[in-house]
């Protein structure tokens, strides 16, 4: 079966712009989580959605937002981009909103802010 | 709070050598513990997990035992292969949580 699909794979944006990243979970998965991976901070939790509702949010500024659609696809948006937002953004999906149940990660979107 | 500390890398081993990557954790309550692996250019793959004390997770020759008394979950493999070269992440989740707390990752390179 298809895995978690993230688009685009690579993105270059200018400081001050905004960006939208997309994640298509495994078919039937209703929970989608987002993580930011940087060399300095490692992997940090952004937010988690289940059945179109945000269930949990990490410690990121309000410039980072997300949503989930009725087909479980999710998008995250970063407004007013800063150089420090350059990172690999990973999406993960699961059948349930429970980390113990097992999450499958996508290959990520590499965002570079110049 | 919740956090994971794992050994600094990079680690370089010869093929067939023994591997240990140390991982200790701090958590409220009784967390579940995980090892994830990331190959170049790819996302994270679940390697193994353990959900309660004294549980041993194992997969592809890798093992880790949930030690509550030492708050540790060290990853071991008896004989590494070149194909094991990757970055390994230790992580925890709280019992009712839906997020992972990751360590900083340990890069492993296995040379023939």
């Amino acid at each position: 079966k298809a895995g978690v699909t993230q688009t685009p794979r690579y993105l270059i944006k200018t400081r001050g712009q905004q960006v939208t990243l997309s994640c298509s979970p495994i078919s039937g998965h209703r929970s989608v989580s987002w993580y930011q991976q940087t060399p300095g901070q490692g992997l940090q939790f952004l937010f988690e959605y289940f059945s179109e509702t945000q269930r949990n949010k990490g410690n990121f500024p309000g410039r980072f937002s997300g949503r989930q659609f009725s087909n479980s696809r999710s998008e995250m948006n970063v407004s007013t981009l800063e150089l420090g937002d350059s990172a690999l953004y990973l999406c993960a999906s699961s059948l349930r909103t429970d980390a113990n149940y097992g999450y499958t990660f996508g290959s990520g979107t590499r965002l570079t802010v110049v | 709070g919740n956090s994971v500390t794992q050994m600094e890398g990079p680690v370089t081993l010869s093929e067939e050598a023994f591997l240990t990557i140390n991982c200790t954790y701090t958590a409220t309550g009784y967390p579940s513990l995980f090892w994830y692996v990331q190959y170049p250019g790819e996302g994270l793959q679940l390697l193994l997990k353990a959900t309660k004390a004294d549980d041993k997770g194992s997969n592809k020759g890798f093992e880790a035992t949930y030690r509550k008394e030492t708050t540790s979950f060290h990853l071991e493999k008896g004989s590494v292969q070149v194909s094991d070269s990757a970055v390994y992440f230790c992580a925890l989740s709280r019992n009712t949580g839906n997020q992972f707390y990751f360590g900083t990752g340990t890069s492993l390179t296995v040379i023939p």
Side-chain angles (χ1 to χ4, degrees):
Chain A
K1 61 182 177 181
V4 177
T5 304
Q6 293 188 245
T7 56
R9 285 299 305 274
Y10 301 93
L11 207 47
I12 299 175
K13 288 288 188 179
T14 303
R15 195 170 42 183
Q17 287 185 313
Q18 76 164 15
V19 67
T20 299
L21 312 182
S22 179
C23 173
S24 294
I26 290 173
S27 178
H29 284 193
R30 295 166 61 192
S31 171
V32 174
S33 296
W34 288 87
Y35 287 82
Q36 181 196 63
Q37 184 177 19
T38 60
Q41 299 297 318
L43 281 150
Q44 294 186 287
F45 174 76
L46 280 156
F47 25 67
E48 190 257 355
Y49 288 86
F50 183 82
S51 294
E52 302 179 65
T53 301
Q54 187 181 90
R55 296 298 183 97
N56 196 6
K57 189 177 193 307
N59 189 27
F60 278 81
R63 300 186 297 106
F64 291 82
S65 63
R67 59 178 176 169
Q68 187 180 33
F69 302 94
S70 58
N71 62 358
S72 294
R73 191 177 70 84
S74 176
E75 290 181 347
M76 67 163 281
N77 184 276
V78 188
S79 63
T80 319
L81 283 166
E82 300 177 0
L83 296 179
D85 298 332
S86 296
L88 179 66
Y89 290 88
L90 292 168
C91 164
S93 75
S94 180
L95 276 169
R96 290 162 41 174
T97 180
D98 180 353
N100 298 326
Y101 200 76
Y103 275 83
T104 302
F105 283 80
S107 298
T109 294
R110 172 76 62 185
L111 171 65
T112 302
V113 182
V114 296
Chain B
N2 301 292
S3 66
V4 173
T5 302
Q6 60 181 104
M7 66 184 278
E8 297 277 337
V11 174
T12 302
L13 294 174
S14 297
E15 205 165 23
E16 298 184 4
F18 185 85
L19 168 71
T20 300
I21 301 178
N22 291 336
C23 171
T24 58
Y25 67 89
T26 301
T28 53
Y30 301 96
S32 293
L33 301 173
F34 304 80
W35 278 100
Y36 276 86
V37 59
Q38 186 176 34
Y39 298 99
E42 298 185 14
L44 302 176
Q45 297 178 25
L46 177 64
L47 183 58
L48 52 84
K49 70 177 183 181
T51 58
K52 60 183 188 297
D54 299 325
D55 266 2
K56 177 186 284 189
S58 62
N59 186 24
K60 299 180 182 179
F62 290 90
E63 292 183 340
T65 301
Y66 189 143
R67 301 286 188 200
K68 187 167 179 289
E69 63 276 13
T70 54
T71 62
S72 65
F73 193 55
H74 304 321
L75 182 68
E76 296 181 336
K77 187 175 185 183
S79 175
V80 293
Q81 306 300 312
V82 172
S83 57
D84 294 327
S85 298
V87 180
Y88 292 81
F89 292 91
C90 184
L92 70 83
S93 71
R94 295 184 308 167
N95 206 22
T96 56
N98 57 8
Q99 74 174 85
F100 294 105
Y101 298 86
F102 285 96
T104 52
T106 301
S107 175
L108 170 67
T109 301
V110 180
I111 54 177

